[in-house]
Amino acid sequence: MSTTAALKPAPRGEEHWTKNGDAELFLWRKAPDAGAKAGTILFVHGSSMASQPTFDLQVPGRPYSSAMDYFVDKGFETWTVDLRGYGRSDKRPGTEATIAQGAEDLAAATDYIIRETGTPAFHVYGISSGALRAATFAQHHPERVKRLALDAFVWTGEGSHTLENRRKKLPDFKRGERRPIDKAFVYSIFNRDHPGTAEDKVIEAFADAITALDDSMPNGTYIDMCTNLPLIDPARITVPTLVMRGEYDGIAGFDDLIAFFARLPNSDRQFAVMPGISHASFQQKNYMLVYHILHGFFTQPEPIYRGG
């Protein structure tokens, strides 16, 4: 890997704010100085961390530790948003932060971005419950999604040992709106499936960034994923779609994802198994492989011929 990326200063980030109803939403933007010639990406975070720790993590000596920096360097404008209940966005009591509410927040965020930039449609990437939110958003707003990437996705939950273990704590999740998190919890994300897939310094930086913003997380997505799956009808995902699964990911059952993939109606679709990857793919040792797969999909030429 070239050391140029490690020496190059990170692109400047911009703080933006919008509302979904009366709920304040924090957005973060990074873009090329020369303009976004490759398109606009919207990154969607998961259940247990806000947006910036996931997509704009800075780790000294790790080139392109920030996915946003990598894609800005490839000519993309990049955006992410703290969904309700997370990070800098509204965390008032009564915030369930369900999958459906997260998709509504994405609609509000894209309303704002469209007004600000005029972009007609987005490349959308979601990870874990963020993939469920992104897929729900794509069901309701296909006109806003140019290409959809679903990483660490779960459809029915069949074959997911992570969800099987999580269901044992379902009574606790239902008793309160939020669950406490600390650095030990973040470490467990990397130890539960296949220890060794991420560097210690990256895990530590990730844990520091997450806990600097939140000491608890909303329970809505956990409850949804334990009790309400399937939330997505693949027949309604009409946009070009990439399904990404880490080799060792304990939440995304392989057969479950293949069954989902087979039901996608758009022939412009891909399924990628990412070797040596567990759950938090951008924080793994093989993260550049993940970027490569995603960049290839987002820059794929549109089909000229689609059949008679």
Side-chain angles (χ1 to χ4, degrees):
M1 186 186 303
S2 170
T3 58
T4 305
L7 300 174
K8 186 185 298 185
R12 183 175 61 88
E14 294 178 355
E15 178 179 316
H16 293 256
W17 293 87
T18 192
K19 286 188 174 183
N20 183 0
D22 63 350
E24 293 263 354
L25 299 178
F26 169 83
L27 296 92
W28 185 244
R29 173 185 180 266
K30 284 190 165 184
D33 291 336
K37 297 179 174 62
T40 302
I41 300 175
L42 176 63
F43 290 107
V44 187
H45 68 76
S47 295
S48 298
M49 57 286 298
S51 60
Q52 286 172 293
T54 311
F55 305 119
D56 196 23
L57 185 67
Q58 304 293 331
V59 182
R62 187 180 190 249
Y64 291 128
S65 188
S66 163
M68 296 181 82
D69 290 355
Y70 176 86
F71 282 96
V72 166
D73 202 43
K74 297 295 184 183
F76 288 89
E77 180 170 335
T78 64
W79 290 80
T80 190
V81 55
D82 286 348
L83 302 171
R84 271 177 292 174
Y86 296 87
R88 295 174 172 84
S89 288
D90 198 310
K91 289 189 272 193
R92 73 184 69 180
T95 302
E96 295 178 281
T98 63
I99 299 296
Q101 289 171 343
E104 293 168 0
D105 289 344
L106 294 179
T110 53
D111 283 344
Y112 174 83
I113 299 168
I114 291 168
R115 289 195 304 268
E116 286 290 302
T117 69
T119 185
F122 301 80
H123 301 291
V124 179
Y125 168 92
I127 184 165
S128 194
S129 68
L132 283 164
R133 292 159 167 143
T136 304
F137 173 72
Q139 285 187 163
H140 295 301
H141 298 280
E143 75 286 352
R144 296 190 185 185
V145 181
K146 188 173 183 181
R147 287 184 171 269
L148 174 67
L150 305 175
D151 189 356
F153 180 68
V154 59
W155 182 35
T156 69
E158 186 71 27
S160 172
H161 64 76
T162 298
L163 289 184
E164 184 179 344
N165 290 330
R166 193 174 289 171
R167 288 188 188 100
K168 298 173 184 176
K169 299 179 181 179
L170 187 58
D172 294 333
F173 301 145
K174 287 184 172 181
R175 272 195 289 269
E177 293 177 353
R178 299 181 71 87
R179 55 194 162 86
I181 64 155
D182 55 16
K183 292 177 72 171
F185 167 78
V186 180
Y187 301 153
S188 74
I189 296 170
F190 296 91
N191 293 326
R192 70 190 183 201
D193 296 330
H194 192 93
T197 59
E199 294 180 88
D200 288 344
K201 70 175 184 180
V202 176
I203 298 172
E204 193 67 27
F206 194 40
D208 285 343
I210 291 169
T211 56
L213 292 171
D214 291 289
D215 59 10
S216 66
M217 294 291 167
N219 287 331
T221 57
Y222 270 27
I223 294 170
D224 269 344
M225 294 169 77
C226 288
T227 63
N228 296 325
L229 295 177
L231 294 165
I232 306 300
D233 178 1
R236 294 179 59 199
I237 305 294
T238 58
V239 301
T241 301
L242 166 66
V243 178
M244 308 165 69
R245 183 190 185 270
E247 178 183 6
Y248 301 118
D249 191 0
I251 202 164
F254 185 83
D255 292 341
D256 188 44
L257 295 185
I258 289 292
F260 175 84
F261 180 79
R263 289 166 172 79
L264 292 171
N266 194 323
S267 60
D268 189 351
R269 55 183 174 169
Q270 297 179 29
F271 191 106
V273 177
M274 301 178 290
I277 301 286
S278 59
H279 188 64
S281 58
F282 287 175
Q283 284 72 52
Q284 306 282 292
K285 291 174 180 175
N286 292 347
Y287 69 107
M288 291 300 292
L289 181 153
V290 183
Y291 292 173
H292 175 82
I293 291 169
L294 192 58
H295 180 255
F297 180 66
F298 283 165
T299 58
Q300 177 180 302
E302 295 297 323
I304 297 172
Y305 176 73
R306 297 300 294 263

